[in-house]
Amino acid sequence: MEPADNAPPKAKSGSGYAYGRYRQPIPLPDISAPGLMGAMRLKEWHYTSVVTGQWFFAFAVVNLGYAAKCFAYLVDRERPANAPEYSELSPMGRAVKFAPSSVSGETRWEAGRNRLVAGHGGDRWQIEVDLPLGPSRVTGSFNFAGGDALALLHRLANGQPAYTHKAAGIAASGSIQWNGQTISLDGGVATLDWTRSVALRETAWKWCSLAGFLPDGRRIGLNLSADVYDGPGGSSQENGLWIDGRLYLLGGVEFALPGDPRREPWIIRSRSGTEVELEFLPLGTREEHLNLGVIRSDFIQPYGTFRGRLAAAGDVAPVPVDGLFGVVEKHLSVW
């Protein structure tokens, strides 16, 4: 079923939630978790990446209730193996203030001198960054705007709501400074994952995201997942392809992980049909493995290039994928 063109003003509708998919973000995703420990059950994150012909910059700000985290990394696509990285944990989430919505206010990470701000105003997202990254600090600002959203308000298996706003293939501009050089992001292509969820105690997913340009110059973006927002038939409800800002829904996919997910190809294919036929080749990896007993996290996010083909229903001809840059991810959290 196609997403509705107009989103409701709020996630809550009467005594329930306005579950569904929308081409516009919900202005106020007023999701709340029940009970005395509700604030600990609510999970929020903002992930953004931007890719150019030479560079890939990605960051995430994550609020878990009892802690918060920020990470960022920068990949030189000509020398991708050793990407400088920043990662910092804030007990009880003191370093983070999360925006009320993906399209209003600011998500701020401030831990001493280390600062990242992701805000939305007018019709665009504005990112400001000042973080340590390997031998230097990364500073500067960039912005991105335009195109359809894939906004999903989903009822999880625990009966609680999850809201996610995905967008990909978005025109970006701006610049960052790192290690004595200015890195222009003008002409780059961005992705967005903004999520607020009363997540299951044990949550697992597989995910992939890419962005770039097709040979004919059109911008392309892709978001695929499995295991986390699956509908009654077992297919994710947040799978989408963007071409020049227009969203085309995709069906469910299966991820075939290799024996060594850091170095060997991943295969992603449609559960039925031939909409998605992709091979992903890792060029490097960001990962974390944490076991504190009642809290566990097992996370691997290789970055690299995709090849294959994508198709969508409607009047869009199949598009080739050859060398487009992005990430895949396998994640298990007990939180």
Side-chain angles (χ1 to χ4, degrees):
M1 185 175 66
E2 281 293 307
D5 288 334
N6 297 311
K10 300 193 297 181
K12 288 184 178 178
S13 178
S15 59
Y17 286 93
Y19 292 116
R21 290 186 290 192
Y22 306 97
R23 287 187 186 274
Q24 295 178 352
I26 296 176
L28 181 59
D30 51 342
I31 286 173
S32 58
L36 294 176
M37 298 296 290
M40 300 296 181
R41 301 299 314 136
L42 193 68
K43 314 302 178 186
E44 302 171 303
W45 60 85
H46 178 137
Y47 170 90
T48 282
S49 71
V50 59
V51 62
T52 70
Q54 183 178 350
W55 297 94
F56 177 80
F57 178 67
F59 74 82
V61 178
V62 183
N63 182 21
L64 301 175
Y66 50 81
K69 182 151 196 160
C70 179
F71 73 78
Y73 63 98
L74 178 67
V75 181
D76 182 346
R77 296 178 59 182
E78 296 179 355
R79 294 171 290 275
N82 298 308
E85 177 185 337
Y86 163 78
S87 180
E88 187 169 358
L89 184 70
S90 172
M92 301 309 297
R94 289 186 290 267
V96 70
K97 179 180 179 183
F98 218 84
S101 163
S102 62
V103 290
S104 65
E106 294 180 335
T107 292
R108 305 180 68 91
W109 173 270
E110 293 181 304
R113 182 184 171 189
N114 302 332
R115 179 174 179 271
L116 189 147
V117 180
H120 190 278
D123 65 345
R124 64 187 54 243
W125 290 268
Q126 180 71 34
I127 311 300
E128 299 177 11
V129 59
D130 186 353
L131 298 172
L133 211 61
S136 178
R137 296 187 71 85
V138 60
T139 62
S141 64
F142 61 95
N143 63 81
F144 54 97
D148 290 343
L150 201 175
L152 172 67
L153 185 55
H154 185 75
R155 183 183 175 93
L156 297 168
N158 61 3
Q160 297 300 321
Y163 173 72
T164 186
H165 172 186
K166 298 294 200 301
I170 316 168
S173 62
S175 65
I176 53 177
Q177 292 74 47
W178 178 77
N179 203 24
Q181 60 186 312
T182 296
I183 298 170
S184 175
L185 302 179
D186 292 346
V189 188
T191 69
L192 170 74
D193 175 354
W194 194 99
T195 295
R196 175 173 288 151
S197 173
V198 187
L200 277 67
R201 166 74 173 142
E202 182 173 311
T203 299
W205 65 75
K206 302 179 188 75
W207 176 64
C208 114
S209 172
L210 67 78
F213 291 94
L214 294 171
D216 61 10
R218 290 178 296 169
R219 292 192 320 276
I220 183 173
L222 180 71
N223 185 88
L224 299 172
S225 76
D227 304 331
V228 64
Y229 300 129
D230 293 352
S235 293
S236 173
Q237 301 299 292
E238 63 159 5
N239 291 347
L241 168 68
W242 285 259
I243 298 178
D244 273 350
R246 177 69 176 175
L247 168 67
Y248 301 90
L249 291 182
L250 298 174
V253 297
E254 295 178 343
F255 290 71
L257 275 64
D260 185 350
R262 299 167 184 82
R263 297 175 179 84
E264 297 175 351
W266 296 41
I267 304 298
I268 307 166
R269 289 197 176 101
S270 294
R271 296 180 69 216
S272 62
T274 58
E275 284 184 329
V276 177
E277 296 178 348
L278 292 176
E279 181 182 60
F280 171 81
L281 180 64
L283 298 174
T285 304
R286 185 185 182 275
E287 59 186 284
E288 292 180 357
H289 305 281
L290 177 69
N291 189 344
L292 300 178
V294 295
I295 299 170
R296 291 187 289 126
S297 178
D298 190 21
F299 166 91
I300 180 169
Q301 187 185 88
Y303 52 84
T305 57
F306 291 84
R307 63 185 180 188
R309 67 185 292 277
L310 296 166
D315 58 355
V316 178
V319 295
V321 175
D322 186 8
L324 292 175
F325 203 89
V327 300
V328 293
E329 181 175 294
K330 181 178 183 291
H331 192 118
L332 170 64
S333 282
V334 180
W335 51 12

